[in-house]
């Protein structure tokens, strides 16, 4: 950062009894009030260079012994900027940089410290420093731009617009021509070394310090040039969002967006409004080209937009774009906290994303595109089943809502049901109070034929599953074993399946026995009084027993060769029958 030094005298300003004054043998004849600060100064050096003070003091009599009071409460930059201008008038040494140049220039213009009033005045010196030093540097330009915006917004276009033009010009330069210093703190990237290439996104971190309105002006100007690829624009948006947006997944149970221990309601509402303004602005700047930003980033923006109650158009755009890149997400990215309770997840927002994702498959497509979409569907199904495993941990999540959430994806979307089984098993474990009907309702969602052999073996030994599901798993296991034996190539794997099945037969038989009615001599007429679930239980017990016998015979009893009868034995049997 470059500096400019003006004046040579030592600093003699001091504070005494809440009054700022300068050491001098001459009594003060000018009292200036700037906000809450009182200055006791002298007309002679100030009026020589300040056209405004000349006009304000023109009606006073030089013979008056009382100091002339002047109020400058609306001076840009406040006390600090005024003191810089006053010290310049006294010839006291001051240091000007990009950080204080803007406030000093605005204050000098306010005081009319121009060349018309005095040659070599402050405005001209600051303008020269701005044009020849600040605008030529990268970090100096960004600092001056942010300072000008904070003080005056768009009203001071004589500083803001040249700074924006300088920033855009440097961004559009080829990385090979970047010779100035910049901030780049990506993991794995060390401080720039000689002959090290400059990364294409070298500029993204520095401009993320700007206010969102200035940042949008810079990004829109860069996009209008069409010289940078959309993913580079997307990276700039990602860097800005990471710096200014709080991920609701990291919000505490109190729902406070920042980590201050005590936050007033007004301060919290101000912060939420700022977050809302930032996320809505970022969404409008996302390039329309697919892949310009990642699917994970879109889901993060959706979490923030949902949490701060962004506009419906903002959320609708994020839902559409996130759905088109849902295969890039991870299970944790699908967790969208509720604004009212950050520890509870809003499944409605995710259902909307899934709905738009599935709508893509209703359009006609070529065979190659169909294969790509099928692979995408399979990947999303696995991600979604991992998400269900997290949702299943919520002890307050209703079973009906969980079933509905599982059914959001059609059966054809899941190439295997291993992840779905794990999700349902977790739900059964976390909700031991479920009725048998609800357990059966959940387990009916599992297609036993789509489970891998290892997972199916685990499920057969799972005491939390209903008996009917165990029986179905055993039948599927038997079918697989028979098919493997018939094929011959997978005989060893079939033998392992037999052992896995037979290993649980004793458990299943004992479980069947425990679930039978206490009295085995039940009259047939009493069946009408048995509830529907008891009929099912009896049927399950009968099927289990049959399954036990079937597997026992198929796995333990070797085939007996049929003995051929001799003619004498055949004739003897025929005579006996007669």
């Amino acid at each position: 950062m470059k500096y400019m030094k003006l004046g040579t005298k030592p600093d003699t300003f001091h504070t005494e009894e809440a009054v700022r004054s300068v050491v001098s043998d001459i009594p003060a004849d000018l009292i200036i009030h700037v906000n809450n600060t009182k200055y006791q100064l002298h007309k002679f050096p100030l009026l020589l260079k300040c056209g405004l003070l000349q006009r304000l003091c023109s009606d006073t009599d030089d013979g008056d012994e009382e100091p002339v009071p002047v109020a400058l409460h609306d001076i840009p930059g406040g006390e600090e900027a005024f003191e810089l201008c006053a010290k310049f008038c006294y010839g006291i040494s001051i240091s000007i940089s990009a950080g204080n140049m803007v406030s000093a220039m605005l204050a000098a213009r306010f005081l009319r410290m121009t060349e018309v009033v005095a040659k070599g005045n402050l405005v001209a010196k600051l303008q020269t420093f701005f044009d020849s030093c600040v605008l030529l540097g990268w970090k100096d330009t960004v600092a001056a731009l942010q300072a000008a915006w904070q003080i005056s917004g768009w009203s001071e276009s004589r500083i803001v617009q040249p700074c924006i033009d300088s920033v855009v010009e440097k961004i559009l330069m080829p990385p090979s021509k970047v010779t100035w210093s910049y901030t780049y703190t990506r993991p794995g990237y060390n401080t720039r070394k000689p002959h090290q290439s400059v990364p294409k996104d070298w500029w993204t971190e520095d401009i993320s310090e700007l206010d969102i309105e200035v940042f949008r002006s810079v990004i829109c100007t860069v996009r209008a040039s069409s010289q940078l690829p959309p993913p580079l624009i997307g990276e700039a948006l990602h860097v800005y969002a990471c710096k200014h947006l709080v991920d609701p997944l990291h919000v505490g149970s109190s729902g406070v967006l920042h980590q201050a221990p005590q936050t007033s309601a007004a301060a919290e509402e101000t912060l939420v409004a700022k977050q809302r303004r930032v996320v809505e602005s970022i969404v409008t700047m996302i390039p329309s080209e697919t892949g310009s930003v990642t699917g994970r980033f879109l889901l993060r923006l959706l979490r923030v937009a949902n949490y701060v109650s962004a506009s419906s158009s903002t959320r609708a755009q994020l839902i559409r774009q996130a759905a088109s890149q849902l295969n890039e997400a991870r299970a944790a990215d699908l967790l969208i906290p509720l604004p009212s309770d950050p520890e509870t997840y809003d499944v409605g927002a995710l259902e909307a994303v899934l709905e738009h994702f599935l709508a893509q498959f209703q359009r006609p497509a070529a065979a190659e595109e169909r294969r790509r979409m099928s692979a995408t569907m399979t990947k999303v199904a696995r991600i979604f089943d991992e998400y269900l495993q997290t949702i299943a941990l919520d002890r307050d999540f209703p079973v009906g809502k969980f079933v509905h959430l599982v059914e959001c994806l059609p059966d054809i979307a899941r190439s295997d049901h291993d992840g779905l089984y794990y999700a349902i098993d977790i739900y059964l474990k976390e909700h031991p109070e479920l009725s048998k009907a609800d357990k059966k309702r959940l387990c009916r969602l599992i297609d036993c034929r789509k489970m891998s052999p290892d997972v199916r073996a685990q499920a057969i030994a799972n005491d939390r599953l209903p008996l009917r599901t165990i029986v179905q798993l055993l039948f599927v296991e038997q079918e697989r074993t028979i098919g493997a034996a018939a094929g011959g190539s997978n005989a060893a794997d079939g033998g392992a399946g037999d052992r896995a099945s037979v290993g649980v037969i004793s458990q299943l038989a004992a479980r069947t026995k425990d679930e039978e009615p206490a009295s085995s001599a039940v009259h047939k007429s009493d069946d009408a009084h048995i509830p529907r679930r008891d009929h099912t239980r009896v049927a399950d017990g009968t099927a289990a027993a049959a399954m036990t016998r079937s597997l026992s015979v198929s796995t333990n009893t070797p085939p007996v060769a049929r003995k051929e009868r001799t003619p004498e034995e055949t004739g003897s049997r025929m005579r006996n029958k007669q």
Side-chain angles (χ1 to χ4, degrees):
M1 186 171 287
K2 297 182 179 180
Y3 296 87
M4 179 177 66
K5 186 176 180 181
L6 299 175
T8 57
K9 296 181 181 178
D11 189 356
T12 56
F13 271 71
H14 65 283
T15 303
E16 185 177 349
E17 296 181 357
V19 176
R20 293 283 289 170
S21 58
V22 61
V23 176
S24 177
D25 297 332
I26 303 175
D29 56 359
L30 183 62
I31 297 179
I32 298 178
H33 297 271
V34 180
N35 299 327
N36 297 323
T37 304
K38 179 181 179 181
Y39 290 89
Q40 290 184 348
L41 303 174
H42 304 84
K43 292 181 182 179
F44 174 70
L46 291 177
L47 268 61
L48 286 178
K49 297 181 180 297
C50 299
L52 177 64
L53 294 180
Q54 290 179 7
R55 184 177 65 82
L56 294 176
C57 297
S58 60
D59 297 335
T60 60
D61 189 354
D62 293 339
D64 293 342
E65 296 183 358
E66 292 294 326
V68 178
V70 176
L72 300 176
H73 298 307
D74 52 352
I75 185 173
E79 297 92 322
E80 294 183 3
F82 169 76
E83 194 161 315
L84 280 174
C85 295
K87 288 179 179 180
F88 173 79
C89 295
Y90 278 96
I92 295 174
S93 177
I94 59 175
S95 182
I96 302 296
S97 67
N100 61 6
M101 183 274 303
V102 174
S103 60
M105 179 175 287
L106 296 180
R109 288 175 178 169
F110 178 84
L111 294 172
R112 298 179 188 173
M113 301 176 70
T114 62
E115 294 297 294
V116 176
V117 177
K119 295 295 182 181
N121 216 337
L122 185 57
V123 171
K125 292 183 179 296
L126 292 175
Q127 187 66 48
T128 301
F129 177 70
F130 177 65
D131 294 335
S132 61
C133 295
V134 173
L135 291 180
L136 296 182
W138 167 251
K139 290 191 174 182
D140 287 342
T141 304
V142 174
L145 178 57
Q146 181 67 355
W149 177 265
Q150 292 175 346
I151 294 175
S152 61
W154 291 116
S155 61
E156 190 48 57
S157 59
R158 288 175 293 180
I159 297 177
V160 172
Q161 194 57 52
C163 286
I164 290 178
D165 295 340
S166 176
V167 167
V168 172
E169 180 184 2
K170 292 176 174 61
I171 290 174
L172 296 178
M173 277 191 176
S176 58
K177 294 185 178 181
V178 174
T179 57
W180 47 80
S181 62
Y182 52 86
T183 304
Y184 198 80
T185 58
R186 302 295 198 282
Y189 184 86
N190 298 325
T191 305
R192 186 182 176 189
K193 300 176 183 179
H195 308 295
Q196 184 179 6
S197 60
V198 177
K200 294 181 179 180
D201 57 343
W202 63 267
W203 48 274
T204 55
E205 290 191 38
D206 285 320
I207 68 168
S208 67
E209 301 290 342
L210 299 173
D211 182 86
I212 185 61
E213 293 298 327
V214 184
F215 176 79
R216 177 161 56 183
S217 178
V218 171
I219 292 297
C220 291
T221 307
V222 170
R223 286 187 62 187
S225 68
S226 302
Q227 296 185 35
L228 297 185
L232 196 52
I233 303 296
E235 177 63 17
L237 299 179
H238 180 263
V239 172
Y240 194 92
C242 289
K243 182 178 290 290
H244 295 275
L245 295 178
V246 180
D247 193 335
L249 286 178
H250 303 151
V251 175
S253 58
S254 61
V256 179
L257 280 175
H258 54 304
Q259 300 177 354
Q262 294 181 350
T263 306
S264 65
E268 176 67 13
E269 180 59 32
T270 301
L271 182 60
V272 169
K274 180 180 178 181
Q275 297 268 297
R276 186 186 305 118
R277 184 169 64 98
V278 170
V279 71
E280 290 179 351
S281 297
I282 288 178
V283 171
T284 62
M285 290 183 277
I286 296 177
S288 58
E289 293 83 357
T290 302
S292 57
V293 294
T294 64
R296 300 189 64 194
F297 177 55
L298 290 168
L299 287 168
R300 176 175 179 171
L301 291 178
L302 179 59
R303 284 197 297 272
V304 177
N306 193 64
Y307 196 82
V308 301
S309 301
S311 65
S312 57
S313 60
T314 297
R315 284 179 284 180
Q317 179 178 343
L318 287 172
I319 287 172
R320 289 193 303 270
Q321 292 183 303
S324 64
Q325 298 176 240
L326 192 56
N327 60 308
E328 301 174 7
R330 297 178 184 175
D333 299 324
L334 305 183
L335 300 174
I336 303 176
L338 281 171
S340 57
D341 184 5
E343 296 184 350
T344 304
Y345 300 119
D346 184 0
V347 297
L350 180 60
E351 289 176 359
V353 175
L354 279 175
E355 181 180 351
H356 281 79
F357 169 75
L358 295 173
Q360 303 174 90
F361 295 84
Q362 299 176 4
R363 300 190 298 266
E368 183 65 27
E369 180 68 10
R370 281 292 177 187
R371 284 192 290 271
R372 186 194 65 81
M373 295 173 69
S374 178
T376 300
M377 176 78 79
T378 301
K379 185 175 181 180
V380 169
R382 291 176 180 173
I383 296 170
F384 184 65
D385 287 344
E386 291 180 21
Y387 162 80
L388 290 174
Q389 295 170 28
T390 303
I391 295 297
L393 295 171
D394 186 357
R395 295 186 59 85
D396 297 326
F397 203 84
V399 62
K401 203 170 183 180
F402 189 80
V403 171
H404 173 72
L405 198 57
V406 172
E407 293 175 339
C408 284
L409 277 183
D411 293 338
I412 195 175
R414 292 182 171 92
S415 59
D416 67 77
H417 277 217
D418 290 353
L420 179 58
Y421 160 73
Y422 287 131
I424 291 177
D425 184 43
I426 292 173
Y427 192 91
L428 293 175
K429 182 179 179 181
E430 296 297 325
H431 301 78
E433 74 286 351
L434 284 180
S435 65
K436 290 183 179 180
D438 285 338
K439 290 182 179 179
K440 292 178 181 178
R441 182 184 178 190
L442 279 172
C443 292
R444 277 197 296 267
L445 299 170
I446 303 174
D447 188 343
C448 300
R449 289 179 173 79
K450 287 188 176 182
M451 296 172 66
S452 63
D454 291 339
V455 176
R456 190 160 52 239
Q458 297 176 25
I460 290 174
N462 191 341
D463 293 336
R464 288 186 289 270
L465 298 183
L467 187 59
R468 171 176 290 181
T469 304
I470 299 292
V471 172
Q472 291 174 350
L473 288 166
L474 286 169
F475 272 116
V476 172
E477 188 66 25
Q478 186 187 38
E479 289 178 358
R480 189 189 67 85
T481 303
I482 295 173
S489 60
N490 298 326
D493 186 39
D498 288 344
R499 290 190 293 273
S501 302
V502 173
V504 298
I505 287 175
S506 58
Q507 301 177 20
L508 182 59
R511 184 170 169 184
T512 304
K513 184 177 179 181
D514 293 340
E515 293 190 10
E516 288 178 352
S519 175
S520 59
V522 179
H523 195 273
K524 292 183 178 180
S525 62
D526 293 338
D527 289 346
H529 301 285
I530 300 176
R532 182 179 299 272
R533 60 176 178 273
D534 292 337
H535 284 294
T536 305
R537 183 173 59 191
V538 172
D540 289 344
T542 305
M547 187 65 191
T548 303
R549 292 193 296 272
S550 174
L551 287 174
S552 298
V553 171
S554 64
T555 57
N556 297 329
T557 305
V560 179
R562 184 175 180 181
K563 183 179 180 182
E564 297 292 337
R565 298 189 184 95
T566 62
E568 291 77 11
E569 291 175 336
T570 304
S572 175
R573 291 176 60 87
M574 292 179 65
R575 285 194 296 271
N576 291 336
K577 288 183 179 181
Q578 292 175 355

